[in-house]
Amino acid sequence: MTEEEILHEFRASEAMLEGHFKLSSGRHSGYYLQCARVLMNPDRAGRLAFALAQKIPRETRSQIDVVISPAMGGIIIGQEMGRALGKDAMFLERPDGEFHLRRGFRLEPGAKVLMVEDVVTTGLSSREAIAAVAREGGEVVAEVALIDRSNGTAELGVPFYPLIDINFPTYADDELPEELAAIPVTKPGSRKA
């Protein structure tokens, strides 16, 4: 898929929102990518996952034993990546603020894991999820995401293959432009803290 085809999928599904949003990272933005909307159509989700799978180098794809994604945002694209790669897909949850495998999910010791996210902004959730996989006995060999919002700055500690880079400006609480500060803030992400 080309960048324009990918953006068309987001626009067509009304997944690219404008307003004043507080992101999971704690930063503010005038734009939010609601990946759940772009992924609500199974055919579209499958096309995006297939395109994302093509971004992973062949030698890395051959190492993957299982796909894991953090709840909530990564679950759908994680499942579709599992389908695209022919691998089982599991997800991590934060019942107590820290990621864990639950619902009977478990990793074989040394399992090679592909971490799958919907959007990466600072990489914090990804790093937490990668650490959780290590605690569970697995090894993350790479991460993929539909969207990299980090402007290439997210340090994940593993190779990272986003489908597309979208670099909307983000702002700390104390650096909001007047026009953004004048709009009521919405916090659409899944992180509670």
Side-chain angles (χ1 to χ4, degrees):
M1 292 179 99
T2 66
E3 184 170 315
E4 191 49 46
E5 289 170 329
I6 295 163
L7 289 173
H8 172 75
E9 298 284 10
F10 275 83
R11 288 185 194 106
S13 61
E14 299 177 12
M16 195 175 305
L17 308 176
E18 291 186 49
H20 178 184
F21 304 97
K22 189 157 189 181
L23 306 174
S24 294
S25 65
R27 294 185 63 82
H28 296 256
S29 178
Y31 298 92
Y32 187 78
L33 296 165
Q34 184 52 271
C35 287
R37 287 209 42 98
V38 79
L39 296 171
M40 71 182 185
N41 177 279
D43 290 335
R44 181 183 294 123
R47 285 192 304 274
L48 291 169
F50 183 79
L52 186 52
Q54 300 309 303
K55 294 278 190 168
I56 306 168
R58 184 174 311 208
E59 59 276 6
T60 302
R61 278 197 317 260
S62 70
Q63 294 176 34
I64 298 167
D65 296 316
V66 66
V67 170
I68 294 184
S69 55
M72 281 293 295
I75 291 177
I76 297 172
I77 191 60
Q79 180 69 30
E80 291 298 328
M81 284 301 295
R83 183 187 323 272
L85 296 170
K87 304 293 179 181
D88 285 345
M90 298 182 251
F91 56 89
L92 296 159
E93 297 177 81
R94 298 182 205 259
D96 57 7
E98 185 175 69
F99 280 124
H100 300 278
L101 287 175
R102 299 178 68 206
R103 303 173 194 270
F105 292 148
R106 64 186 170 282
L107 291 172
E108 294 297 320
K112 304 295 188 218
V113 173
L114 175 68
M115 185 63 61
V116 180
E117 276 273 24
D118 56 349
V119 177
V120 171
T121 302
T122 65
L124 177 60
S125 290
S126 295
R127 289 189 300 274
E128 291 172 351
I130 290 167
V133 166
R135 285 192 309 273
E136 299 282 350
E139 176 192 351
V140 175
V141 295
E143 177 163 336
V144 296
L146 287 174
I147 307 294
D148 179 6
R149 282 191 64 152
S150 78
N151 202 17
T153 64
E155 293 290 334
L156 306 181
V158 298
F160 179 42
Y161 307 103
L163 184 58
I164 189 172
D165 296 301
I166 296 180
N167 298 312
F168 298 129
T170 64
Y171 309 94
D173 288 333
D174 62 352
E175 59 185 30
L176 287 177
E178 280 184 39
E179 63 276 7
L180 196 57
I183 302 170
V185 67
T186 300
K187 188 175 180 193
S190 60
R191 181 189 293 271
K192 298 295 181 216

